Amino acid sequence: MGRPRARTAPYLIGLFTVLVVVGGTACCPAETDTRTARGSVIEVIGDLGDVEYFTMVTSEGETLTLQPDPLGEFGFFLPHLREHLVSGAPIAVTYRMTPQGALVAVAIDDA
């Protein structure tokens, strides 16, 4: 009876490895799915402690409306975007597009 267990252990380890690899790549967007833009903030929507979304004009003249990713990496507290709105100081944003076409900011920093 010891032999069948010896054969199933490598099978289970292999199956587990496949599930981890496939599951890990299927759940998360690849880094190549992100884009970066630099520009000026022209609108910030949300209350004083939070930002629901913001609009920026890129240095190429494109207008982007983005919602911050709750798990994003931001170089400052999001309400700081209002200071950029007033001052016109540029920001750098890394973002991705959802399947529904929404733009989600995954990183924001002073530019």
Side-chain angles (χ1 to χ4, degrees), residues 35-52:
R35 298 179 185 160
T36 302
R38 185 177 187 276
S40 301
V41 177
I42 60 170
E43 180 182 39
V44 178
I45 301 298
D47 59 29
L48 290 176
D50 195 21
V51 172
E52 292 177 33

Side-chain angles (χ1 to χ4, degrees), residues 28-36 94-97:
C28 307
E31 287 185 27
T32 57
D33 292 344
T34 61
R35 298 179 185 160
T36 302
T94 301
Y95 65 96
R96 63 179 169 80
M97 184 180 293

Side-chain angles (χ1 to χ4, degrees), residues 17-109:
T17 302
V18 168
L19 290 175
V20 168
V21 170
V22 171
T25 58
C27 76
C28 307
E31 287 185 27
T32 57
D33 292 344
T34 61
R35 298 179 185 160
T36 302
R38 185 177 187 276
S40 301
V41 177
I42 60 170
E43 180 182 39
V44 178
I45 301 298
D47 59 29
L48 290 176
D50 195 21
V51 172
E52 292 177 33
Y53 66 90
F54 64 97
T55 303
M56 66 181 288
V57 175
T58 69
S59 52
E60 290 82 28
E62 184 179 11
T63 301
L64 304 175
T65 298
L66 304 111
Q67 60 188 71
D69 185 331
L71 302 175
E73 297 179 19
F74 308 122
F76 46 75
F77 292 111
L78 290 175
H80 175 69
L81 287 171
R82 288 181 175 78
E83 292 180 32
H84 285 268
L85 174 65
V86 173
S87 70
I91 61 171
V93 179
T94 301
Y95 65 96
R96 63 179 169 80
M97 184 180 293
T98 67
Q100 297 77 24
L103 302 180
V104 178
V106 295
I108 307 171
D109 214 336

